[in-house]
């Protein structure tokens, strides 16, 4: 639907939908909003037997935002495959941390990625990978400095992901090796829960203790 997506009306609806999502605390990549919006236009056009351009008048940005919010809500079937949806990062400050200690959240996020990828949660994999990238950028920003300015939001989101994955291990049987055969991976998984919760607590402690800027 290239002609519709490039129309001013469609683009205005996309902008309004993104604004509606922000009021729900969700930051969604534009291409995801565009895809859902285009799908809605197609469905309405087919249902009413009209041209897609005419269907645009029947699209409500708030309703599209509700669809995206519902589909991406944690616990909804299929939400683990919804990529490009992030919580709105309200705190734009950075936390000054010793460069050497930044390896800890990196290691913790690596565990998150390992467990999430092994248990088919591409959304968590993508989110954690993005955080690793942001931490890497912060560490490499000034190689001569002994500290790195990590976005406070990165620390908050990293701690939350650790708690979420620990919860999945406890409640949903996530395993580092969900092959279906028992070769004592359960004992290793149980130990990881404690490590992840400790890492989450440490990250929050570092965030609270660090001097912030911005």
């Amino acid at each position: 639907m290239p002609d519709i997506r490039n129309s001013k009306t469609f683009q205005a609806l996309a902008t309004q939908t993104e604004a509606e999502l922000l009021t729900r605390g969700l930051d969604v990549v534009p291409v995801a909003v565009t895809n859902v919006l285009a799908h809605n236009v197609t469905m309405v056009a087919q249902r009413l037997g009209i041209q897609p351009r005419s269907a645009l008048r029947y699209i409500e940005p708030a309703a599209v935002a509700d669809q995206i919010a519902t589909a991406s809500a944690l616990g909804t079937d299929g939400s683990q495959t919804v990529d490009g949806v992030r919580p709105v990062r309200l705190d734009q400050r950075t936390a000054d941390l010793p460069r050497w200690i930044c390896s800890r959240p990196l290691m913790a996020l690596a565990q998150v990625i390992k467990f999430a990828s092994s248990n088919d949660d591409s959304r968590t994999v993508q989110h954690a990978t993005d955080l690793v990238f942001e931490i890497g950028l912060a560490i490499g920003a000034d190689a001569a400095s002994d500290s790195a300015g990590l976005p406070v939001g990165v620390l908050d989101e990293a701690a939350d992901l650790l708690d979420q994955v620990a919860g999945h291990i406890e409640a949903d049987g996530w395993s580092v090796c969900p092959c279906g055969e028992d070769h004592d991976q359960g004992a290793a998984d149980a130990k990881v829960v404690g490590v992840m919760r400790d890492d989450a607590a440490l990250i929050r402690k570092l965030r609270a203790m660090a001097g912030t800027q911005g």
Side-chain angles (χ1 to χ4, degrees):
M1 201 188 309
D3 56 326
I4 294 300
R5 295 184 192 221
N6 292 329
S7 72
K8 291 183 178 180
T9 302
F10 185 96
Q11 292 173 2
L13 287 171
T15 299
Q16 294 170 33
T17 302
E18 290 173 15
E20 288 282 349
L21 286 164
L22 289 176
T23 67
R24 292 159 173 75
L26 297 175
D27 185 6
V28 183
V29 294
V31 67
V33 174
T34 297
N35 288 341
V36 175
L37 190 57
H39 175 73
N40 274 266
V41 172
T42 299
M43 295 298 293
V44 170
Q46 291 176 348
R47 189 172 302 163
L48 299 180
I50 59 179
Q51 292 297 314
R53 189 176 297 277
S54 299
L56 289 172
R57 72 185 68 178
Y58 299 104
I59 302 298
E60 291 290 336
V64 178
D66 285 341
Q67 290 178 355
I68 295 174
T70 299
S72 61
L74 295 178
T76 300
D77 287 344
S79 64
Q80 71 275 10
T81 64
V82 178
D83 296 329
V85 179
R86 301 284 183 270
V88 173
R89 191 173 290 177
L90 299 176
D91 197 332
Q92 299 298 324
R93 298 175 299 166
T94 58
D96 292 324
L97 298 176
R99 189 178 298 275
W100 62 268
I101 210 169
C102 294
S103 62
R104 192 67 195 183
L106 286 174
M107 292 168 60
L109 287 168
Q111 278 194 317
V112 166
I113 293 169
K114 174 64 176 177
F115 270 84
S117 62
S118 296
N119 293 274
D120 302 321
D121 188 339
S122 62
R123 176 180 178 176
T124 298
V125 170
Q126 187 61 56
H127 192 176
T129 301
D130 289 345
L131 296 181
V132 168
F133 182 71
E134 287 193 72
I135 294 173
L137 284 178
I139 294 174
D142 184 2
S145 175
D146 292 331
S147 64
L150 268 61
V152 167
V154 167
L155 297 175
D156 291 337
E157 292 168 29
D160 289 343
L161 286 182
L162 283 161
D163 281 337
Q164 287 174 24
V165 172
H168 282 306
I169 296 172
E170 290 179 318
D172 303 322
W174 274 24
S175 175
V176 70
C177 182
C179 64
E181 298 182 6
D182 186 3
H183 46 82
D184 297 326
Q185 68 267 43
D189 296 335
K191 292 179 181 178
V192 170
V193 171
V195 174
M196 285 188 169
R197 295 207 186 279
D198 287 346
D199 282 340
L202 174 61
I203 290 172
R204 292 188 175 104
K205 184 177 180 180
L206 293 173
R207 181 225 197 271
M209 293 175 59
T212 56
Q213 298 179 359

